[in-house]
Amino acid sequence: MTGIKYAWSALGGDPSLPGRVTTVTRAGTLPARLPVRRFARACVGVCALAAAELGARRTGAATLPGVRVDDGAVATAFTSERHLLVDGRAPVQFAPLSRFWRAADGWVRTHANYPHHRARLLDALGLPEDALPEDVAARIAGRPALEVEDAVYGAGGLAVALRSPGEWAAHEQAVAVAARPLVERGRPDTAHARVLPPLGAGATPLLPAAGLRVLDLTRVLAGPVATRTLGLLGADVLRLDAPWLPELPDQHADTGFGKRSATLDLTTDRAAFEELLASADVVVTGYRPGALDRFGLSPEALAERRPGVVVAQVSAWGAYGPWAGRRGFDSLVQVATGIAEIEGAADRPGALPAQALDHGTGYLLAAGVLRALTEQSYDGGSRFVRLALARTARWLMEETVETEEERTEAEAAHKAQDKAAESVPEGGGAYEGPDAWLAETDSALGRLRYARPPLSFADGPADWARPPVPWGSAPPRWAQPPGPKARADLARRT
């Protein structure tokens, strides 16, 4: 329970409420040297608790619904992209140039899933567009790892040299990250927040976010997980992408549940965006810090134009320090922070059993939004919530392992995935695979097999109300038109 208490405290929650959470532990889930199972359980647990808290507030309930966290559901959700099937076809996880490479003095990991990132990687290495993996391997093998990192980032690509935990701890970016809380929270103003209508006692399913409008300006993977969760809880989630930056199809299918998808050019369609913002309750962004500020999308600028808005931001490295403006992904953060060394073998780096930094940060971000909405219902004010994968990694590496006994258990789980890592209480059992937490549905993308959501609280939703839709298929407007007050607000601002 300590992990849940810690995360709930970071979210500013009432310290008495984690007692409402019960857990079902299952041996063999998310085996790793680091305590990934406890970490994942905590992230999902506080998200479900925040949803129950907001639901109780909106229904006028005297007590919160009970929250249940099942390791099997959590492990399946944390690997949702691996379980997805589209008409029976398994998804593509990583492109051929997204992998570890041996450098002259160590290892480098690159990320080149998107075509423009692949092109920049090859350009930095002086290779043609049709270069093969063996060409990349030969070019990197002759250069120091840090030199490759700097050259690729200088070209706008993504590559990170493998560091030990100690090397990362001494890095300026790690120092900047360590100085920040796990969840940064603040109030840009004291404006009156929009009053959410009561849900009515006994609402089933209980949808704490019903009636909320969420603008989703996120990419891979933490941000989309957060907004997918808000969609589960009843929010009208509209994802917006630039027309020239299509999402990877399988990734879009996995994280598109509960949303609509539209394209919008912020350089030419500002009026359309401002109309959406005028009646938005939440704006979630997942681009590198500062990338959207020129469009007036900083928390302060958004709050000035839309008083009472909740702004949630997620990035790889944080909005501070020398790497604040760098792009990044879960796999690269694992390499830079020393996780890949911890989870590796003597002759090769390793990885966590899931993109746990992404998924965990996504649930924490959704929890931060839900908690901000609950706090607003008492005292108003615009709010911002900010998380970074690198800060989440610090929590996983340094702030979740509690005792030497638990370290030993985690190591045993890494060596023997099918053996218990800790005692299993009544109601649990060994993890026998994800089947119990998978479902199928028809969609405009085809027949989908997918991981069901891991959030579970009394009368809460068991699944998403809508499957994913094709990327960019919806018009850039809310499912329901804005009411008279929102139209009046917009008229005053334009």
Side-chain angles (χ1 to χ4, degrees), residues 101-108 140-149 161-162 167:
W101 310 88
R102 191 181 289 276
D105 60 351
W107 291 88
V108 172
I140 291 178
R143 302 174 68 176
L146 289 176
E147 180 182 301
V148 174
E149 176 183 281
L162 177 70
E167 289 170 334

Side-chain angles (χ1 to χ4, degrees), residues 198-214:
L199 295 176
T204 304
L206 177 58
L207 299 174
L212 289 167
R213 288 173 169 163
V214 178

Side-chain angles (χ1 to χ4, degrees), residues 22-284:
T22 60
T23 61
V24 178
T25 62
R26 297 186 186 275
T29 56
L30 300 175
R33 290 192 174 101
L34 290 168
V36 178
R37 175 170 47 168
R38 183 186 300 111
F39 161 82
R41 183 192 299 153
C43 294
V44 171
V46 295
C47 189
L49 186 59
E53 179 189 37
L54 181 59
R57 175 66 173 162
R58 295 188 66 186
T59 58
T63 59
L64 265 66
V67 173
R68 183 175 181 269
V69 184
D70 190 309
D71 281 351
V74 172
T76 304
F78 264 57
T79 51
S80 62
E81 66 277 7
R82 302 179 190 177
H83 300 302
L84 178 74
L85 293 179
V86 182
D87 288 332
R89 177 186 60 80
V92 176
Q93 295 296 320
F94 286 100
L97 300 189
S98 296
R99 47 167 279 195
F100 282 108
W101 310 88
R102 191 181 289 276
D105 60 351
W107 291 88
V108 172
R109 179 145 190 171
T110 57
H111 195 290
N113 284 6
Y114 288 99
H116 58 292
H117 290 157
R118 181 183 188 278
R120 293 168 185 171
L121 170 65
L122 295 176
D123 180 62
L125 297 176
L127 292 170
E129 292 183 4
D130 59 352
L132 299 174
E134 50 264 37
D135 301 320
V136 175
R139 191 60 57 93
I140 291 178
R143 302 174 68 176
L146 289 176
E147 180 182 301
V148 174
E149 176 183 281
D150 289 341
V152 174
Y153 265 107
L158 293 116
V160 169
L162 177 70
R163 291 171 172 81
S164 69
E167 289 170 334
W168 174 247
H171 194 280
E172 284 184 76
Q173 188 61 32
V175 173
V177 165
R180 303 286 175 140
L182 175 63
V183 183
E184 294 183 71
R185 304 159 59 245
R187 295 182 62 171
D189 60 38
T190 57
H192 290 293
R194 182 166 307 163
V195 178
L196 296 176
L199 295 176
T204 304
L206 177 58
L207 299 174
L212 289 167
R213 288 173 169 163
V214 178
L215 281 177
D216 177 0
L217 286 77
T218 66
R219 308 276 287 184
V220 220
L221 177 64
V225 166
T227 51
R228 180 180 69 181
T229 302
L230 296 175
L232 167 74
L233 299 172
D236 179 4
V237 180
L238 180 62
R239 172 158 170 169
L240 296 177
D241 287 287
W244 57 88
L245 281 178
E247 185 59 278
L248 299 173
D250 292 335
Q251 189 168 270
H252 174 72
D254 176 53
T255 60
F257 283 86
K259 310 177 188 180
R260 291 174 302 115
S261 172
T263 60
L264 189 72
D265 186 345
L266 291 175
T267 61
T268 60
D269 297 331
R270 289 305 299 275
F273 178 81
E274 294 301 322
E275 184 173 356
L276 290 167
L277 177 63
S279 56
D281 300 288
V282 179
V283 178
V284 186

